[in-house]
């Protein structure tokens, strides 16, 4: 089985008056429908820049763990130093849209520009084109075709299963690496599913153990994945980061768990 850490870097690309939008994202404490810049909301996102990113990178470095950092293009444009820091530690940089928004209502031309701009800014900052993509919320009917045409190797716009699989729509191999919202630090927010860092650790540990020990003997040829979704502004908080530390401590030395970037999983699947 594979264990995939995905760190979402969305800071600076959120829906807000600051970015020229007519509304602000209604999350965290920011439910006041402020007709203008919401300084509370923007500072929540900025926590990643000052605290969260470095805490996550430090833990991954200590455990020699490589992750996929799913980055919005506008976030990369505004904070090139963050992208360069992540890439310097040899993590994968994948694409998460130009803005932190869904694509389902985009026109073909709008989406083409979005994909190409995101791809280009990541290349300019790292010298490597991203090969993976994940749309916030819903993709459009044409997203996957546009990604394939743009040279992407995989996307994570799927929540239907625990196994990576090949898309049969194209003449050459293209991988689907499913994402997950349950093994995700977003469960700390609003829903109350995770309260302590240990809640996060125990839930993900249970998912790994089920696939590893309950299903491995009967499903040896599948590309089963547990995806751990992370956000520096969420898990990066001092009261939560210990849950990630517990998880990394627990999996250290377990040779049955293959920690891989999503690019690595896609390459394995395509070459199989």
């Amino acid at each position: 089985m594979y264990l995939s850490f995905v760190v979402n870097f969305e800071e600076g690309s959120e829906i807000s008056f600051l970015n020229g939008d007519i509304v602000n994202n209604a999350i965290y404490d920011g439910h006041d429908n402020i007709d203008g810049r919401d300084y509370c909301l923007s500072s929540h996102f900025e926590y990643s820049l000052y605290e969260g990113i470095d805490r996550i990178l430090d833990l991954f470095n200590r455990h020699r763990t490589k992750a996929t950092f799913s980055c919005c293009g506008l976030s990369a444009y505004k904070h090139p130093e963050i992208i360069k820091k992540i890439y310097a530690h040899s993590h994968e940089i994948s694409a998460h849209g130009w803005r932190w928004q869904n694509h389902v209502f985009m026109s073909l031309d709008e989406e083409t520009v979005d994909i190409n701009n995101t791809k280009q800014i990541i290349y300019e900052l790292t010298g490597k084109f991203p090969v993976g993509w994940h749309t916030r919320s819903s993709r459009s009917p044409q997203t996957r075709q546009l990604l394939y045409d743009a040279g992407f190797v995989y996307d994570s716009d799927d929540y239907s299963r625990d196994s990576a699989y090949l898309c049969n729509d194209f003449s050459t191999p293209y991988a689907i690496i499913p994402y997950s919202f349950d093994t995700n630090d977003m469960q700390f927010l609003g829903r109350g599913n995770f309260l302590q860092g240990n809640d996060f650790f125990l839930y993900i540990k249970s998912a790994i153990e089920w696939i590893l020990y309950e299903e491995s003997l009967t499903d040896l040829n599948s590309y089963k994945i547990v995806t751990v979704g992370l956000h520096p502004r969420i898990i990066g908080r001092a009261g939560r980061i210990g849950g990630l530390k517990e998880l990394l401590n627990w999996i250290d030395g377990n040779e049955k768990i293959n920690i891989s970037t999503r690019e690595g999983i896609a390459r394995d699947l395509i070459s199989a």
Side-chain angles (χ1 to χ4, degrees):
M1 67 156 286
Y2 292 93
L3 182 61
S4 169
F5 289 99
V6 179
V7 184
N8 297 280
F9 182 54
E10 303 150 343
E11 283 60 34
S13 66
E14 66 272 11
I15 303 301
S16 69
F17 274 83
L18 187 62
N19 285 329
D21 302 302
I22 60 173
V23 294
N24 295 300
N25 276 122
I27 56 176
Y28 307 112
D29 298 322
H31 297 288
D32 297 325
N33 297 319
I34 296 171
D35 187 17
R37 179 176 178 181
D38 186 335
Y39 288 89
C40 174
L41 176 70
S42 61
S43 63
H44 271 292
F45 278 86
E46 289 169 356
Y47 189 88
S48 291
L49 310 177
Y50 299 115
E51 307 288 353
I53 284 282
D54 285 340
R55 283 177 178 152
I56 291 173
L57 284 175
D58 178 61
L59 273 181
F60 284 157
N61 287 341
R62 279 193 264 161
H63 290 268
R64 299 180 181 179
T65 297
K66 298 305 176 188
T68 295
F69 280 73
S70 186
C71 302
C72 292
L74 185 57
S75 301
Y77 176 78
K78 287 183 175 182
H79 307 291
E81 74 286 354
I82 299 293
I83 301 300
K84 292 177 180 179
K85 180 188 294 187
I86 294 166
Y87 194 68
H89 289 288
S90 301
H91 297 288
E92 178 193 1
I93 306 286
S94 67
H96 196 24
W98 183 255
R99 296 286 307 279
W100 193 47
Q101 61 187 31
N102 66 44
H103 281 216
V104 69
F105 300 117
M106 285 186 181
S107 69
L108 181 64
D109 288 343
E110 288 172 332
E111 192 166 17
T112 300
V113 169
D114 187 289
I115 290 170
N116 289 335
N117 285 347
T118 306
K119 176 182 172 182
Q120 185 61 32
I121 189 62
I122 292 174
Y123 174 75
E124 290 175 7
L125 295 175
T126 66
K128 179 183 177 182
F129 286 113
V131 299
W133 178 278
H134 185 207
T135 308
R136 184 205 177 191
S137 189
S138 180
R139 64 183 175 92
S140 77
Q142 68 261 6
T143 302
R144 190 158 286 160
Q145 182 68 59
L146 291 174
L147 292 173
Y148 178 78
D149 293 343
F152 284 82
V153 172
Y154 77 88
D155 71 64
S156 295
D157 292 341
D158 187 274
Y159 305 85
S160 67
R161 62 198 80 183
D162 292 323
S163 297
Y165 63 98
L166 292 176
C167 176
N168 297 318
D169 295 339
F170 309 119
S171 58
T172 56
Y174 182 89
I176 312 299
I177 316 295
Y179 194 64
S180 176
F181 286 156
D182 67 316
T183 50
N184 193 305
D185 66 2
M186 66 190 293
Q187 297 297 330
F188 280 109
L189 300 180
R191 301 164 179 83
N193 295 332
F194 298 157
L195 297 177
Q196 306 291 332
N198 187 249
D199 299 330
F200 167 87
F201 161 61
L202 290 175
Y203 187 89
I204 295 169
K205 176 176 176 284
S206 294
I208 293 171
E209 288 181 329
W210 183 269
I211 289 176
L212 195 60
Y213 301 116
E214 297 292 336
E215 298 182 357
S216 62
L217 293 179
T218 58
D219 217 0
L220 293 177
N221 295 320
S222 72
Y223 284 78
K224 290 282 188 178
I225 305 167
V226 172
T227 295
V228 181
L230 303 170
H231 302 76
R233 64 185 181 274
I234 302 176
I235 196 67
R237 294 276 171 177
R240 297 172 180 151
I241 193 69
L244 180 58
K245 179 181 177 181
E246 280 188 275
L247 178 61
L248 291 169
N249 286 339
W250 177 73
I251 63 179
D252 272 352
N254 190 330
E255 296 180 355
K256 294 183 178 181
I257 301 174
N258 181 8
I259 302 176
S260 176
T261 64
R262 294 172 96 69
E263 178 180 1
I265 299 170
R267 301 289 188 194
D268 286 350
L269 181 60
I270 289 169
S271 63

